[in-house]
Amino acid sequence: QVQLAESGGGSVQSGGSLRLSCAASGYTGVIGCMGWFRQVPGKEREVVASIERNGNSRYTDSVKGRFTISRNDAKNTVYLQMNSLQPEDTAMYYCVSAPSACGGADFDSWGQGTQVTVSG
């Protein structure tokens, strides 16, 4: 199973930016889909963005135009650039991966999560 380690969370004012990173380790072969989920206490977690090995990406509607997902397979890392952050983006963000393509992916590896808090 893939080990995923997130970094880059923190607190920011409304309108600010953060960049999350997630490093994958402890696996052989290739990772198919990588992505980010987020969860607020008391609410269901939601997929924020996902990216295929070929770079094709998808976003939930609420972050389109503000968030950008990217990956660097040479560094086994996926990123989430978050701009124009709003208080409703406040959540725990989790990095995920799946051996398959993103469509219908079974995300079998999860990071520990990194907290993003947006105030103002």
Side-chain angles (χ1 to χ4, degrees):
Q1 194 173 18
V2 180
Q3 281 83 53
L4 300 171
E6 305 99 336
S7 61
S11 297
V12 65
Q13 293 287 320
S14 181
S17 298
L18 286 172
R19 188 193 197 206
L20 305 184
S21 300
C22 172
S25 62
Y27 66 99
T28 58
V30 297
I31 297 175
C33 182
M34 298 192 79
W36 294 90
F37 276 70
R38 65 185 179 186
Q39 187 166 25
V40 176
K43 294 187 177 181
E44 287 191 10
R45 61 190 176 199
E46 65 169 342
V47 59
V48 177
S50 61
I51 186 167
E52 305 278 10
R53 287 185 58 81
N54 64 7
N56 289 343
S57 58
R58 298 182 181 90
Y59 300 89
T60 192
D61 286 346
S62 63
V63 308
K64 286 179 180 176
R66 300 188 298 123
F67 291 11
T68 302
I69 189 171
S70 60
R71 63 190 285 173
N72 183 331
D73 289 327
K75 295 184 177 180
N76 302 321
T77 301
V78 63
Y79 307 95
L80 186 68
Q81 177 66 44
M82 305 185 294
N83 299 328
S84 301
L85 283 161
Q86 300 299 317
E88 53 265 35
D89 295 315
T90 295
M92 184 71 78
Y93 284 71
Y94 297 90
C95 176
V96 297
S97 73
S100 64
C102 291
D106 177 17
F107 293 107
D108 58 357
S109 296
W110 290 71
Q112 292 298 308
T114 185
Q115 179 67 37
V116 171
T117 302
V118 185
S119 59

